[in-house]
Amino acid sequence: MAQPDVLFDYTGHLPECPTWSEAEQALYWADILEYEIHRYDIRSGEHQVLQFPEEVGCFSLREKGGFIVALRSAIWLSDSRGLLVRKICDNPSNPQLARFNDGGTDRDGRFYAGTFWGPGDYNGALLVRIDNKLKPKVIQCDIHGANGLAFSADKKWMYTSDTPNGVIYRTPLDEQGEPGKREPFRHFRAGEGIPDGAAIDEEGCYWSAMFDGWRVARFSPEGQQLEEYRLPVRCPTMVCFGGPEMKTLFITTTRENMSAEEVRQYPLSGAIFTLPVAVAGMKKLPFIGG
């Protein structure tokens, strides 16, 4: 079985939202708590860091260049240097209590960003969508920590996870991409880890980073676990497919809230790993709009 390897000599605080650029053959990711978006050129090894004024919950590359980025207080368009050029909407949650978290694009190039309810006293987070005309719409609520966004190739299903509640959902989509009633896809027991960021492969299988579970797992379209890959760190945060044939799985991990002793014991916490896989992943579309 293939084993994960470190991408390069880097450890972050809370790396998330890995995003592959096929045109550039480069990997982008956010470090939420450091207010950063990173770019790593696979061929040259060049590593660039863009600084933002607030936590970068998630982002997508734009068809027109630059990014659409969900900061704590609002969703913005920015240029390729990280300069904010247009505010799309404010955070529809209370930004003092809920920052943006996981997000990405659907098969029509619309952008989705979910929030994470910091107090944890109830499911106060939500999922918002920015359409191709930059119109925002809240499409789901009753979430503690929005994660695991992915879309089936046939556009019929949206997958999400609620990490603190230990559940993956799937939601039917109509022909316009409007969501129906979400339904549980898989629940997780204590000790299995909890589902964080995710991606879908060409066979329709859902790959989930199992936070606090030391592993990445692959699930069939029916929710059955087919494979798992162990990691040398406790908390993977998200996965994405990339590489020349889309057969490399990139895995972000974190050292957030870890003691100095745990970081000494597991110094690769916060690193980015690569894993060769047999089935190619679905390509992420850029944000189309703006």
Side-chain angles (χ1 to χ4, degrees), residues 225-244:
Q225 181 173 309
L226 302 176
E227 304 170 53
E228 73 170 15
Y229 296 87
R230 306 298 295 183
L231 296 168
V233 297
R234 179 167 58 86
C235 294
T237 57
M238 193 170 176
V239 298
C240 82
F241 290 94

Side-chain angles (χ1 to χ4, degrees), residues 164-184:
N165 287 319
V167 59
I168 299 170
Y169 293 103
R170 67 175 190 168
T171 302
L173 304 173
D174 67 17
E175 292 183 356
Q176 287 72 46
E178 294 302 315
K181 183 178 180 181
R182 74 182 186 189
E183 58 188 48

Side-chain angles (χ1 to χ4, degrees), residues 100-140:
F100 278 108
N101 196 51
D102 183 90
T105 51
D106 65 13
R107 302 296 179 209
D108 293 310
R110 297 176 293 189
F111 180 68
Y112 296 67
T115 60
F116 194 102
W117 185 249
D121 51 347
Y122 78 105
N123 292 339
L126 49 80
L127 181 65
V128 62
R129 183 183 68 205
I130 308 299
D131 70 15
N132 307 120
K133 295 182 179 179
L134 303 185
K135 182 179 179 181
K137 180 180 180 180
V138 174
I139 61 168
Q140 284 188 343

Side-chain angles (χ1 to χ4, degrees), residues 80-112:
S80 59
R81 299 165 297 174
L83 177 66
L84 302 179
V85 296
R86 180 176 177 180
K87 184 166 78 169
I88 299 173
C89 67
D90 292 321
N91 182 349
S93 295
N94 180 336
Q96 279 72 47
L97 301 179
R99 62 165 172 79
F100 278 108
N101 196 51
D102 183 90
T105 51
D106 65 13
R107 302 296 179 209
D108 293 310
R110 297 176 293 189
F111 180 68
Y112 296 67

